[in-house]
Short mmCIF file of all heavy atoms in Angstrom, two decimals:
data_model
loop_
_atom_site.label_atom_id
_atom_site.label_comp_id
_atom_site.label_asym_id
_atom_site.label_seq_id
_atom_site.Cartn_x
_atom_site.Cartn_y
_atom_site.Cartn_z
N ASN J 351 -17.34 -51.57 36.46
CA ASN J 351 -16.95 -51.03 35.15
C ASN J 351 -17.10 -49.50 35.13
O ASN J 351 -16.25 -48.79 34.56
CB ASN J 351 -17.79 -51.64 34.04
CG ASN J 351 -17.47 -53.11 33.85
OD1 ASN J 351 -16.37 -53.56 34.18
ND2 ASN J 351 -18.43 -53.87 33.32
N GLU J 352 -18.17 -48.98 35.75
CA GLU J 352 -18.35 -47.53 35.80
C GLU J 352 -17.21 -46.89 36.59
O GLU J 352 -16.66 -45.85 36.19
CB GLU J 352 -19.70 -47.19 36.45
CG GLU J 352 -20.91 -47.59 35.64
CD GLU J 352 -21.10 -46.69 34.43
OE1 GLU J 352 -20.55 -45.56 34.43
OE2 GLU J 352 -21.81 -47.10 33.48
N PHE J 353 -16.87 -47.50 37.73
CA PHE J 353 -15.75 -46.95 38.53
C PHE J 353 -14.45 -46.96 37.73
O PHE J 353 -13.68 -46.00 37.75
CB PHE J 353 -15.59 -47.77 39.82
CG PHE J 353 -16.31 -47.21 41.00
CD1 PHE J 353 -17.52 -47.73 41.40
CD2 PHE J 353 -15.77 -46.15 41.71
CE1 PHE J 353 -18.20 -47.21 42.49
CE2 PHE J 353 -16.44 -45.63 42.81
CZ PHE J 353 -17.67 -46.15 43.19
N GLU J 354 -14.19 -48.06 37.03
CA GLU J 354 -12.94 -48.16 36.27
C GLU J 354 -12.89 -47.11 35.15
O GLU J 354 -11.84 -46.52 34.89
CB GLU J 354 -12.81 -49.57 35.71
CG GLU J 354 -12.50 -50.61 36.78
CD GLU J 354 -12.42 -52.00 36.20
OE1 GLU J 354 -12.73 -52.15 34.98
OE2 GLU J 354 -12.05 -52.94 36.93
N GLU J 355 -14.02 -46.89 34.47
CA GLU J 355 -14.03 -45.87 33.41
C GLU J 355 -13.78 -44.48 33.98
O GLU J 355 -13.02 -43.68 33.42
CB GLU J 355 -15.38 -45.90 32.67
CG GLU J 355 -15.56 -47.13 31.80
CD GLU J 355 -16.88 -47.09 31.06
OE1 GLU J 355 -17.59 -46.07 31.19
OE2 GLU J 355 -17.20 -48.06 30.36
N ASP J 356 -14.41 -44.19 35.13
CA ASP J 356 -14.18 -42.88 35.75
C ASP J 356 -12.73 -42.72 36.17
O ASP J 356 -12.13 -41.65 36.00
CB ASP J 356 -15.10 -42.71 36.96
CG ASP J 356 -16.55 -42.51 36.54
OD1 ASP J 356 -16.76 -42.10 35.37
OD2 ASP J 356 -17.45 -42.76 37.36
N LEU J 357 -12.14 -43.78 36.74
CA LEU J 357 -10.74 -43.70 37.15
C LEU J 357 -9.81 -43.58 35.95
O LEU J 357 -8.78 -42.90 36.02
CB LEU J 357 -10.37 -44.93 38.00
CG LEU J 357 -11.03 -44.99 39.38
CD1 LEU J 357 -10.73 -46.32 40.07
CD2 LEU J 357 -10.54 -43.83 40.25
N ASP J 358 -10.16 -44.25 34.84
CA ASP J 358 -9.33 -44.12 33.63
C ASP J 358 -9.37 -42.68 33.11
O ASP J 358 -8.34 -42.12 32.69
CB ASP J 358 -9.82 -45.08 32.55
CG ASP J 358 -9.49 -46.53 32.87
OD1 ASP J 358 -8.57 -46.74 33.70
OD2 ASP J 358 -10.15 -47.42 32.32
N GLU J 359 -10.56 -42.09 33.13
CA GLU J 359 -10.65 -40.69 32.70
C GLU J 359 -9.86 -39.78 33.63
O GLU J 359 -9.16 -38.87 33.17
CB GLU J 359 -12.12 -40.25 32.68
CG GLU J 359 -12.94 -40.87 31.57
CD GLU J 359 -14.36 -40.34 31.56
OE1 GLU J 359 -14.62 -39.36 32.30
OE2 GLU J 359 -15.20 -40.88 30.82
N LEU J 360 -9.97 -40.01 34.92
CA LEU J 360 -9.22 -39.19 35.87
C LEU J 360 -7.72 -39.36 35.67
O LEU J 360 -6.96 -38.39 35.73
CB LEU J 360 -9.61 -39.58 37.30
CG LEU J 360 -8.94 -38.78 38.43
CD1 LEU J 360 -9.26 -37.30 38.29
CD2 LEU J 360 -9.40 -39.30 39.79
N ASP J 361 -7.29 -40.60 35.38
CA ASP J 361 -5.87 -40.84 35.14
C ASP J 361 -5.41 -40.12 33.88
O ASP J 361 -4.32 -39.53 33.84
CB ASP J 361 -5.62 -42.34 35.01
CG ASP J 361 -4.15 -42.67 34.89
OD1 ASP J 361 -3.36 -42.18 35.73
OD2 ASP J 361 -3.77 -43.36 33.93
N MET J 362 -6.24 -40.13 32.84
CA MET J 362 -5.88 -39.42 31.61
C MET J 362 -5.81 -37.91 31.86
O MET J 362 -4.91 -37.23 31.36
CB MET J 362 -6.91 -39.72 30.52
CG MET J 362 -6.70 -38.96 29.22
SD MET J 362 -5.14 -39.38 28.41
CE MET J 362 -5.54 -41.02 27.80
N MET J 363 -6.72 -37.41 32.66
CA MET J 363 -6.70 -35.98 32.97
C MET J 363 -5.48 -35.62 33.79
O MET J 363 -4.88 -34.56 33.60
CB MET J 363 -7.98 -35.59 33.70
CG MET J 363 -9.24 -35.69 32.86
SD MET J 363 -10.72 -35.23 33.75
CE MET J 363 -10.38 -33.47 34.00
N VAL J 364 -5.07 -36.46 34.68
CA VAL J 364 -3.87 -36.19 35.48
C VAL J 364 -2.64 -36.22 34.59
O VAL J 364 -1.75 -35.37 34.70
CB VAL J 364 -3.75 -37.22 36.63
CG1 VAL J 364 -2.40 -37.12 37.31
CG2 VAL J 364 -4.87 -37.00 37.64
N LYS J 365 -2.59 -37.21 33.67
CA LYS J 365 -1.43 -37.29 32.79
C LYS J 365 -1.33 -36.06 31.88
O LYS J 365 -0.25 -35.61 31.55
CB LYS J 365 -1.52 -38.55 31.92
CG LYS J 365 -1.31 -39.85 32.69
CD LYS J 365 -1.43 -41.04 31.77
CE LYS J 365 -1.23 -42.35 32.53
NZ LYS J 365 -1.37 -43.55 31.66
N GLY J 366 -2.50 -35.54 31.49
CA GLY J 366 -2.48 -34.36 30.61
C GLY J 366 -2.74 -33.07 31.34
O GLY J 366 -3.22 -32.11 30.71
N ALA J 367 -2.44 -33.02 32.63
CA ALA J 367 -2.76 -31.81 33.40
C ALA J 367 -2.02 -30.59 32.87
O ALA J 367 -2.60 -29.51 32.73
CB ALA J 367 -2.41 -32.04 34.88
N LEU J 368 -0.75 -30.75 32.56
CA LEU J 368 0.03 -29.61 32.10
C LEU J 368 -0.49 -29.10 30.76
O LEU J 368 -0.66 -27.89 30.56
CB LEU J 368 1.51 -29.99 31.99
CG LEU J 368 2.45 -28.85 31.62
CD1 LEU J 368 2.38 -27.75 32.66
CD2 LEU J 368 3.88 -29.36 31.49
N GLN J 369 -0.79 -30.04 29.85
CA GLN J 369 -1.31 -29.62 28.56
C GLN J 369 -2.70 -29.00 28.70
O GLN J 369 -3.06 -28.07 27.99
CB GLN J 369 -1.38 -30.82 27.60
CG GLN J 369 -1.74 -30.49 26.18
CD GLN J 369 -0.64 -29.71 25.49
OE1 GLN J 369 0.52 -29.83 25.87
NE2 GLN J 369 -0.99 -28.93 24.49
N CYS J 370 -3.47 -29.50 29.64
CA CYS J 370 -4.79 -28.94 29.89
C CYS J 370 -4.70 -27.50 30.35
O CYS J 370 -5.49 -26.65 29.97
CB CYS J 370 -5.51 -29.79 30.93
SG CYS J 370 -7.15 -29.21 31.36
N VAL J 371 -3.72 -27.19 31.18
CA VAL J 371 -3.54 -25.82 31.66
C VAL J 371 -3.16 -24.90 30.51
O VAL J 371 -3.60 -23.76 30.42
CB VAL J 371 -2.48 -25.78 32.78
CG1 VAL J 371 -2.11 -24.35 33.13
CG2 VAL J 371 -2.99 -26.51 34.01
N LYS J 372 -2.36 -25.42 29.58
CA LYS J 372 -1.91 -24.58 28.47
C LYS J 372 -3.02 -24.32 27.46
O LYS J 372 -3.25 -23.19 27.04
CB LYS J 372 -0.74 -25.23 27.74
CG LYS J 372 0.58 -25.14 28.48
CD LYS J 372 1.68 -25.72 27.61
CE LYS J 372 3.05 -25.56 28.27
NZ LYS J 372 4.12 -26.10 27.43
N ASP J 373 -3.72 -25.37 27.07
CA ASP J 373 -4.63 -25.26 25.93
C ASP J 373 -6.08 -25.56 26.27
O ASP J 373 -6.91 -25.64 25.35
CB ASP J 373 -4.20 -26.20 24.80
CG ASP J 373 -2.79 -25.89 24.32
OD1 ASP J 373 -2.43 -24.70 24.34
OD2 ASP J 373 -2.09 -26.82 23.93
N THR J 374 -6.42 -25.74 27.51
CA THR J 374 -7.76 -26.16 27.93
C THR J 374 -8.21 -27.37 27.11
O THR J 374 -9.35 -27.46 26.69
CB THR J 374 -8.78 -25.02 27.79
OG1 THR J 374 -8.90 -24.68 26.41
CG2 THR J 374 -8.38 -23.82 28.58
N ASP J 375 -7.29 -28.29 26.86
CA ASP J 375 -7.58 -29.49 26.09
C ASP J 375 -6.79 -30.65 26.69
O ASP J 375 -5.72 -30.44 27.25
CB ASP J 375 -7.20 -29.29 24.62
CG ASP J 375 -7.76 -30.39 23.73
OD1 ASP J 375 -8.54 -31.21 24.26
OD2 ASP J 375 -7.43 -30.40 22.54
N ILE J 376 -7.30 -31.85 26.52
CA ILE J 376 -6.61 -33.02 27.03
C ILE J 376 -5.66 -33.54 25.97
O ILE J 376 -6.00 -33.62 24.79
CB ILE J 376 -7.63 -34.11 27.42
CG1 ILE J 376 -8.59 -33.56 28.47
CG2 ILE J 376 -6.93 -35.34 27.96
CD1 ILE J 376 -7.94 -33.09 29.72
N HIS J 377 -4.45 -33.89 26.39
CA HIS J 377 -3.44 -34.37 25.45
C HIS J 377 -3.73 -35.83 25.13
O HIS J 377 -3.48 -36.72 25.96
CB HIS J 377 -2.06 -34.22 26.06
CG HIS J 377 -0.97 -34.67 25.13
ND1 HIS J 377 -0.67 -34.01 23.97
CD2 HIS J 377 -0.13 -35.74 25.20
CE1 HIS J 377 0.33 -34.62 23.36
NE2 HIS J 377 0.67 -35.68 24.10
N GLU J 378 -4.26 -36.09 23.97
CA GLU J 378 -4.56 -37.44 23.54
C GLU J 378 -4.58 -37.47 22.03
O GLU J 378 -4.65 -36.43 21.36
CB GLU J 378 -5.91 -37.91 24.10
CG GLU J 378 -7.07 -37.00 23.73
CD GLU J 378 -8.37 -37.47 24.31
OE1 GLU J 378 -8.51 -38.67 24.56
OE2 GLU J 378 -9.27 -36.63 24.50
N ASN J 379 -4.51 -38.65 21.48
CA ASN J 379 -4.47 -38.82 20.03
C ASN J 379 -5.89 -38.89 19.47
O ASN J 379 -6.78 -39.48 20.08
CB ASN J 379 -3.72 -40.09 19.67
CG ASN J 379 -2.25 -40.01 20.05
OD1 ASN J 379 -1.64 -38.95 19.96
ND2 ASN J 379 -1.70 -41.13 20.50
N PRO J 380 -6.12 -38.31 18.28
CA PRO J 380 -7.45 -38.41 17.67
C PRO J 380 -7.76 -39.86 17.30
O PRO J 380 -6.88 -40.66 16.98
CB PRO J 380 -7.33 -37.53 16.42
CG PRO J 380 -6.17 -36.63 16.68
CD PRO J 380 -5.23 -37.43 17.53
N ALA J 381 -9.04 -40.19 17.34
CA ALA J 381 -9.50 -41.53 17.01
C ALA J 381 -10.92 -41.43 16.47
O ALA J 381 -11.58 -40.40 16.57
CB ALA J 381 -9.45 -42.45 18.23
N GLU J 382 -11.39 -42.56 15.87
CA GLU J 382 -12.76 -42.63 15.40
C GLU J 382 -13.69 -42.80 16.61
O GLU J 382 -13.60 -43.80 17.33
CB GLU J 382 -12.95 -43.77 14.42
CG GLU J 382 -12.19 -43.61 13.11
CD GLU J 382 -12.72 -42.44 12.29
OE1 GLU J 382 -13.93 -42.13 12.40
OE2 GLU J 382 -11.92 -41.82 11.55
N VAL J 383 -14.54 -41.81 16.81
CA VAL J 383 -15.42 -41.81 17.99
C VAL J 383 -16.84 -42.13 17.53
O VAL J 383 -17.40 -41.45 16.66
CB VAL J 383 -15.37 -40.44 18.70
CG1 VAL J 383 -16.32 -40.45 19.90
CG2 VAL J 383 -13.96 -40.12 19.14
N LYS J 384 -17.43 -43.14 18.15
CA LYS J 384 -18.84 -43.46 17.91
C LYS J 384 -19.67 -42.56 18.81
O LYS J 384 -19.64 -42.69 20.04
CB LYS J 384 -19.11 -44.93 18.20
CG LYS J 384 -18.39 -45.88 17.25
CD LYS J 384 -18.73 -47.33 17.56
CE LYS J 384 -18.03 -48.28 16.59
NZ LYS J 384 -18.35 -49.69 16.89
N LEU J 385 -20.40 -41.65 18.19
CA LEU J 385 -21.12 -40.64 18.97
C LEU J 385 -22.24 -41.25 19.80
O LEU J 385 -22.55 -40.73 20.88
CB LEU J 385 -21.67 -39.57 18.02
CG LEU J 385 -20.61 -38.70 17.34
CD1 LEU J 385 -21.27 -37.72 16.38
CD2 LEU J 385 -19.79 -37.95 18.37
N ASP J 386 -22.85 -42.34 19.31
CA ASP J 386 -23.92 -42.93 20.10
C ASP J 386 -23.40 -43.43 21.44
O ASP J 386 -24.06 -43.25 22.49
CB ASP J 386 -24.56 -44.09 19.32
CG ASP J 386 -25.40 -43.59 18.15
OD1 ASP J 386 -25.73 -42.38 18.13
OD2 ASP J 386 -25.71 -44.39 17.25
N ALA J 387 -22.21 -44.06 21.44
CA ALA J 387 -21.66 -44.56 22.70
C ALA J 387 -21.26 -43.42 23.62
O ALA J 387 -21.53 -43.43 24.83
CB ALA J 387 -20.47 -45.47 22.41
N LEU J 388 -20.60 -42.40 23.04
CA LEU J 388 -20.15 -41.28 23.87
C LEU J 388 -21.32 -40.50 24.44
O LEU J 388 -21.39 -40.22 25.66
CB LEU J 388 -19.24 -40.39 23.04
CG LEU J 388 -18.54 -39.22 23.75
CD1 LEU J 388 -17.18 -38.97 23.13
CD2 LEU J 388 -19.37 -37.93 23.65
N LEU J 389 -22.28 -40.17 23.59
CA LEU J 389 -23.42 -39.38 24.05
C LEU J 389 -24.35 -40.22 24.92
O LEU J 389 -24.97 -39.69 25.86
CB LEU J 389 -24.18 -38.81 22.86
CG LEU J 389 -23.40 -37.82 21.99
CD1 LEU J 389 -24.22 -37.42 20.77
CD2 LEU J 389 -23.00 -36.61 22.79
N GLY J 390 -24.43 -41.51 24.63
CA GLY J 390 -25.29 -42.37 25.44
C GLY J 390 -24.82 -42.43 26.88
O GLY J 390 -25.65 -42.43 27.81
N ARG J 391 -23.52 -42.47 27.07
CA ARG J 391 -23.02 -42.50 28.45
C ARG J 391 -23.31 -41.20 29.17
O ARG J 391 -23.66 -41.18 30.35
CB ARG J 391 -21.51 -42.77 28.42
CG ARG J 391 -20.98 -42.96 29.83
CD ARG J 391 -19.54 -43.35 29.83
NE ARG J 391 -19.10 -43.41 31.22
CZ ARG J 391 -17.91 -43.08 31.62
NH1 ARG J 391 -17.03 -42.64 30.75
NH2 ARG J 391 -17.57 -43.19 32.89
N LEU J 392 -23.16 -40.06 28.47
CA LEU J 392 -23.47 -38.76 29.08
C LEU J 392 -24.95 -38.69 29.45
O LEU J 392 -25.32 -38.17 30.52
CB LEU J 392 -23.11 -37.62 28.11
CG LEU J 392 -21.63 -37.35 27.89
CD1 LEU J 392 -21.45 -36.28 26.81
CD2 LEU J 392 -20.96 -36.89 29.18
N VAL J 393 -25.81 -39.22 28.57
CA VAL J 393 -27.25 -39.19 28.83
C VAL J 393 -27.59 -40.07 30.03
O VAL J 393 -28.38 -39.68 30.90
CB VAL J 393 -28.02 -39.63 27.57
CG1 VAL J 393 -29.50 -39.83 27.89
CG2 VAL J 393 -27.85 -38.59 26.47
N ARG J 394 -26.99 -41.27 30.09
CA ARG J 394 -27.28 -42.16 31.21
C ARG J 394 -26.84 -41.56 32.53
O ARG J 394 -27.54 -41.64 33.55
CB ARG J 394 -26.60 -43.51 30.99
CG ARG J 394 -27.22 -44.36 29.89
CD ARG J 394 -26.73 -45.80 29.97
NE ARG J 394 -25.28 -45.88 29.88
CZ ARG J 394 -24.61 -45.97 28.75
NH1 ARG J 394 -25.28 -45.95 27.60
NH2 ARG J 394 -23.29 -46.07 28.75
N SER J 395 -25.65 -40.92 32.54
CA SER J 395 -25.16 -40.30 33.77
C SER J 395 -26.10 -39.19 34.22
O SER J 395 -26.39 -39.04 35.41
CB SER J 395 -23.76 -39.75 33.56
OG SER J 395 -22.86 -40.78 33.24
N ALA J 396 -26.61 -38.38 33.25
CA ALA J 396 -27.53 -37.31 33.60
C ALA J 396 -28.86 -37.87 34.10
O ALA J 396 -29.46 -37.35 35.05
CB ALA J 396 -27.76 -36.39 32.40
N GLN J 397 -29.32 -38.93 33.46
CA GLN J 397 -30.59 -39.52 33.88
C GLN J 397 -30.47 -40.15 35.26
O GLN J 397 -31.42 -40.11 36.05
CB GLN J 397 -31.05 -40.55 32.85
CG GLN J 397 -31.48 -39.93 31.52
CD GLN J 397 -31.78 -40.96 30.46
OE1 GLN J 397 -31.42 -42.15 30.60
NE2 GLN J 397 -32.44 -40.52 29.37
N LEU J 398 -29.34 -40.77 35.58
CA LEU J 398 -29.13 -41.32 36.91
C LEU J 398 -29.18 -40.24 37.98
O LEU J 398 -29.53 -40.49 39.14
CB LEU J 398 -27.80 -42.07 36.97
CG LEU J 398 -27.74 -43.41 36.23
CD1 LEU J 398 -26.33 -43.98 36.27
CD2 LEU J 398 -28.73 -44.41 36.82
N ALA J 399 -28.76 -38.99 37.57
CA ALA J 399 -28.80 -37.87 38.52
C ALA J 399 -30.18 -37.24 38.60
O ALA J 399 -30.35 -36.23 39.30
CB ALA J 399 -27.76 -36.82 38.13
#
Side-chain angles (χ1 to χ4, degrees):
N351 292 335
E352 293 287 340
F353 266 100
E354 288 178 353
E355 289 182 4
D356 288 338
L357 291 174
D358 288 340
E359 289 183 9
L360 182 59
D361 185 51
M362 176 64 73
M363 293 180 66
V364 170
K365 290 179 180 179
L368 185 59
Q369 187 69 26
C370 179
V371 171
K372 284 184 176 181
D373 301 326
T374 64
D375 193 6
I376 301 301
H377 181 67
E378 56 181 334
N379 295 324
E382 294 294 330
V383 179
K384 294 182 179 180
L385 292 178
D386 288 344
L388 185 147
L389 296 175
R391 186 175 176 214
L392 289 175
V393 170
R394 288 195 303 272
S395 298
Q397 291 173 345
L398 288 175

